Amino acid sequence: MKPTARSPRSTRSRRSRLRLASSTAAALAAGALVLSACSSGGGGGGGGDKSEGPGSDKNTSANYSIGTKDDSAGPAPEVPGAKKGGTVGVLQRDAFLHLDPGQIYYSDMLANQMLYNRTLTSYKVDDKGRVKVVGDLATDAGTASDGGKTWKFTLKDGLKFEGGSPITAKDVRWGVERLYASFETDGPLYVPQWLSGDGADFRKALPDGPYKGAHLPASVLDTPDDKTIVFHFRQPHADTPFATAMPNIGPVKAEKDTQRKYDNAPFSSGPYKVGDYKVGKSLTLVRNENWDGKTDPIRHQYADRFEISFGHQYADSTRRFLADQGADKNTLSFTNAVAPEMTEKVLGQADTKARRFVEIQPYVDYISFNMDRLKDVNVRKALAYAMPNGQILQQMGGATAGVLATNYLSPAMDGYKPTDPFGKKAKPAGDPDKARELLKQAGKEGQEIVYAYPNTDLQQKVSVVVTQALERAGFKVQKKEIDANTWRTAIAEVKNKFDIYRTSWGADWPVSSTVVPPLFDGRQIADGAQNYGHLNNPAVNAAIDRISAVPDVKKAAPEWQQLADKIFTEDVPGVPTFYNTQFSLWGSNLGGIRYQPVYGTVDPTGVYVK
């Protein structure tokens, strides 16, 4: 899962048991969408002149492929015109919750970790936005055996941590095993779950992580020498090259692992390292002199440093990019979008054309309903009918922010069908009459709703139209404004005291097994997980298991759509509102900026100061 970078890309503990026969692995390889993370941040859009819409959808499976060993070799292709030196400024709205790669699953933090964190595999994006899964630390995207249950990775020569010590297979093993510790809750959990158990059961295999001297047996995770890592999964997983591209499947040096405090000082394997970090205020990344570009097919080290500051609302960052003065000429944002109210000004200012983009993101925005508190399905259906999808989208930036959503799955998903069970296209402002009728049937007229939202400028505006729509439908609304810096943690608490709240999700790759299970599997209900509506329907859980076992993703795809539609119409744990786009603007003295379609963010890996 991509939140805020605007939503949560975040994905966090996802339970995907997608299995493919080896003959269909290439088909899966064609689809790798990590929104990872993930959640996005939602809102803002535009780009080009007024006739220009978003670029082509780079989130579809056809845009992804598995690279070769040659594709995995460094160095990364030089960016034309790139220069070394200078400082890149970064303006972010929300403070980063984590620097620890094991805890990262939101789009803003996903973009940031690319500068200091390397993983077994990663995503190589060309100048047309096409994506290849390649070996990052590994020499290639992995070798499968035993029908896809066993995956072997070999580390490249010359890999080093920031201190100069070599990166070995044992460091990667430590990085994986620490995910079993109880405090590692916010990151993606595909690999440990595939190794050791579904849901939270995997933690039983190594309840203290590696911190008390225990390790996973070689029959599960083997490191026979300093260069070799072997995963022995319980079931075949042809999508392993995508799972090992997650930010937490990389090296952590045991002597530098400060457990919870690792969030403040991760030990770098990438081109930059933490120079100074003031939690909630700023982060400075400086050159890692021990990074060797010859080993890295993705990243560059053009700038001397990145100076990241937090607390910049979209209006603030947009004004500064438009003015383009002083140090702001050398400034960008990973995820801040153009403020909706400034869209026309940005599009009308000629000098912005070369320093902006609008791109379709892999995220879907939702309003989730807390089923622990809203137990009557007719109340939840009334909320779904009442929700003003079109007005929400308009507040976020209208056509430049996204496209009206009518069901849970993104159009990028294999098997997608454009269903619209709550009539959002016909009544984008909501259907208050239908909602009132359902409330009357339930005997819940005047039902009070605790509506929680982050205290950002955009979400404060959204809260007005949502409140008005719900009141027209016969609800009483208690608004609960939450600090944006703690928002993502607050809504992910199982015992939160809210009835409805905005969430966002993006597939980790464009198959729906990376959407339906994490969002709707009742065995995924836990603090920090993404079943935000707390749906726990045994029939849904059983259907997830059944569809997950289908070996051909193309055959499974329509079944995921059918299950998602059934959940939406019968259980109603939330309502989708819009499919996101990202409208970004940056300073005129920066080059090498492009879109990272996997994370739905600005790609910082080739940025330079002119």
Side-chain angles (χ1 to χ4, degrees):
M1 313 26 66
K2 95 186 198 357
T4 306
R6 289 184 310 192
S7 23
R9 183 176 162 306
S10 120
T11 30
R12 288 182 227 194
S13 52
R14 300 187 172 181
R15 178 177 171 278
S16 168
R17 291 201 316 247
L18 174 66
R19 298 197 290 272
L20 285 151
S22 57
S23 62
T24 63
L28 176 62
L33 195 127
V34 180
L35 303 177
S36 264
C38 127
S39 257
S40 89
D49 56 36
K50 293 182 182 180
S51 64
E52 240 176 68
S56 61
D57 190 347
K58 301 178 178 67
N59 306 313
T60 60
S61 60
N63 198 50
Y64 291 76
S65 63
I66 295 287
T68 65
K69 189 170 185 176
D70 287 344
D71 292 324
S72 305
E78 288 294 329
V79 176
K83 299 177 181 178
K84 285 187 174 287
T87 296
V88 176
V90 182
L91 306 179
Q92 290 295 122
R93 186 182 69 189
D94 303 315
F96 296 151
L97 293 179
H98 303 292
L99 300 186
D100 177 356
Q103 297 274 55
I104 288 174
Y105 219 169
Y106 283 81
S107 56
D108 49 357
M109 292 171 272
L110 283 165
N112 182 57
Q113 61 86 34
M114 294 175 69
L115 295 170
Y116 63 84
N117 180 51
R118 296 182 66 180
T119 45
L120 278 180
T121 57
S122 193
Y123 297 97
K124 189 173 187 177
V125 183
D126 69 15
D127 57 5
K128 295 183 179 179
R130 294 173 299 203
V131 181
K132 285 184 179 179
V133 184
V134 300
D136 185 355
L137 295 171
T139 57
D140 57 28
T143 302
S145 59
D146 190 23
K149 286 185 179 181
T150 299
W151 282 81
K152 177 182 175 182
F153 296 87
T154 302
L155 296 181
K156 296 172 181 173
D157 296 329
L159 302 171
K160 293 181 181 180
F161 284 110
E162 65 174 77
S165 59
I167 294 172
T168 70
K170 289 181 174 58
D171 299 315
V172 176
R173 183 184 71 181
W174 188 275
V176 172
E177 290 180 337
R178 69 192 299 272
L179 303 179
Y180 288 69
S182 60
F183 65 87
E184 289 284 329
T185 58
D186 284 11
L189 297 173
Y190 288 111
V191 169
Q193 289 173 337
W194 292 353
L195 289 170
S196 302
D198 295 329
D201 287 346
F202 79 94
R203 297 189 193 276
K204 297 175 183 176
L206 199 65
D208 298 308
Y211 298 113
K212 293 186 178 180
H215 294 285
L216 295 171
S219 60
V220 174
L221 177 58
D222 194 12
T223 51
D225 56 54
D226 283 348
K227 288 293 185 69
T228 307
I229 301 103
V230 184
F231 297 101
H232 297 282
F233 297 127
R234 297 174 298 133
Q235 301 290 342
H237 289 285
D239 45 349
T240 294
F242 305 117
T244 54
M246 292 298 190
N248 55 3
I249 309 301
V252 174
K253 191 175 180 64
E255 294 83 355
K256 297 294 183 178
D257 186 356
T258 51
Q259 300 184 44
R260 287 178 173 83
K261 293 181 180 179
Y262 200 65
D263 251 339
N264 296 333
F267 204 54
S268 174
S269 54
Y272 295 89
K273 61 185 180 181
V274 175
D276 181 65
Y277 184 34
K278 294 180 174 63
V279 178
K281 295 181 180 179
S282 64
L283 168 67
T284 299
L285 299 176
V286 299
R287 288 180 182 270
N288 171 12
E289 60 276 11
N290 286 298
W291 170 80
D292 185 353
K294 294 178 182 178
T295 71
D296 196 326
I298 298 159
R299 302 165 189 82
H300 297 278
Q301 195 186 55
Y302 293 132
D304 290 331
R305 58 205 290 123
F306 284 77
E307 292 187 349
I308 304 162
S309 58
F310 308 116
H312 302 279
Q313 298 291 337
Y314 292 177
D316 172 27
S317 55
T318 304
R319 274 193 296 267
R320 291 174 62 169
F321 293 141
L322 272 172
D324 198 37
Q325 298 294 310
D328 288 340
K329 291 184 176 183
N330 299 342
T331 300
L332 55 80
S333 178
F334 297 149
T335 52
N336 272 25
V338 168
E341 65 272 22
M342 297 184 187
T343 293
E344 292 301 316
K345 188 172 184 179
V346 171
L347 296 179
Q349 189 166 312
D351 76 321
T352 68
K353 190 166 186 178
R355 54 189 182 97
R356 69 187 190 224
F357 63 60
V358 58
E359 295 283 354
I360 298 169
Q361 292 183 298
Y363 306 108
V364 182
D365 257 52
Y366 307 89
I367 300 291
S368 289
F369 306 154
N370 187 342
M371 294 178 64
D372 292 336
R373 292 168 58 92
L374 300 173
K375 297 182 183 294
D376 192 317
V377 69
N378 280 327
V379 171
R380 301 195 300 272
K381 287 182 177 180
L383 285 166
Y385 276 110
M387 202 58 61
N389 289 26
Q391 291 173 303
I392 292 172
L393 178 58
Q394 193 61 38
Q395 292 301 317
M396 298 298 288
T400 62
V403 177
L404 193 78
T406 59
N407 64 49
Y408 285 145
L409 299 183
S410 161
M413 296 298 97
D414 282 337
Y416 171 80
K417 287 189 176 181
T419 57
D420 187 10
F422 288 92
K424 293 303 176 182
K425 286 188 176 179
K427 296 185 177 182
D431 189 341
D433 294 334
K434 180 65 174 177
R436 280 184 176 274
E437 178 185 333
L438 286 164
L439 283 180
K440 187 175 181 179
Q441 289 176 14
K444 299 285 187 177
E445 293 168 287
Q447 167 92 38
E448 183 171 276
I449 296 296
V450 179
Y451 168 35
Y453 57 93
N455 63 346
T456 65
D457 50 1
L458 285 181
Q459 289 304 315
Q460 287 169 336
K461 293 175 182 177
V462 169
S463 75
V464 173
V465 297
V466 170
T467 298
Q468 290 173 345
L470 296 187
E471 288 176 344
R472 286 195 299 269
F475 291 97
K476 293 180 180 178
V477 180
Q478 178 186 340
K479 295 168 68 174
K480 183 72 173 176
E481 191 172 289
I482 308 295
D483 185 336
N485 289 328
T486 60
W487 166 254
R488 291 175 281 193
T489 300
I491 62 171
E493 290 179 358
V494 175
K495 299 297 184 182
N496 73 66
K497 303 298 183 184
F498 319 134
D499 293 319
I500 67 173
Y501 30 90
R502 172 183 177 257
T503 58
S504 178
W505 190 257
D508 280 322
W509 43 91
V511 293
S512 298
S513 61
T514 67
V515 178
V516 177
L519 292 183
F520 304 121
D521 189 334
R523 296 158 293 188
Q524 294 282 31
I525 297 173
D527 288 344
Q530 286 72 51
N531 186 336
Y532 294 111
H534 309 154
L535 172 65
N536 190 6
N537 182 336
V540 171
N541 298 345
I544 286 172
D545 288 345
R546 179 183 60 78
I547 303 171
S548 294
V550 175
D552 187 333
V553 290
K554 294 294 184 183
K555 291 181 179 179
E559 295 200 53
W560 285 121
Q561 178 74 61
Q562 291 168 16
L563 178 58
D565 289 342
K566 184 179 177 68
I567 293 168
F568 188 21
T569 56
E570 296 182 8
D571 297 290
V572 203
V575 59
T577 53
F578 66 97
Y579 308 121
N580 293 180
T581 61
Q582 175 74 18
F583 182 14
S584 287
L585 182 66
W586 53 89
S588 63
N589 201 42
L590 293 180
I593 296 176
R594 60 185 178 185
Y595 180 62
Q596 219 286 359
V598 182
Y599 299 154
T601 68
V602 164
D603 185 341
T605 58
V607 175
Y608 65 90
V609 179
K610 295 178 181 177

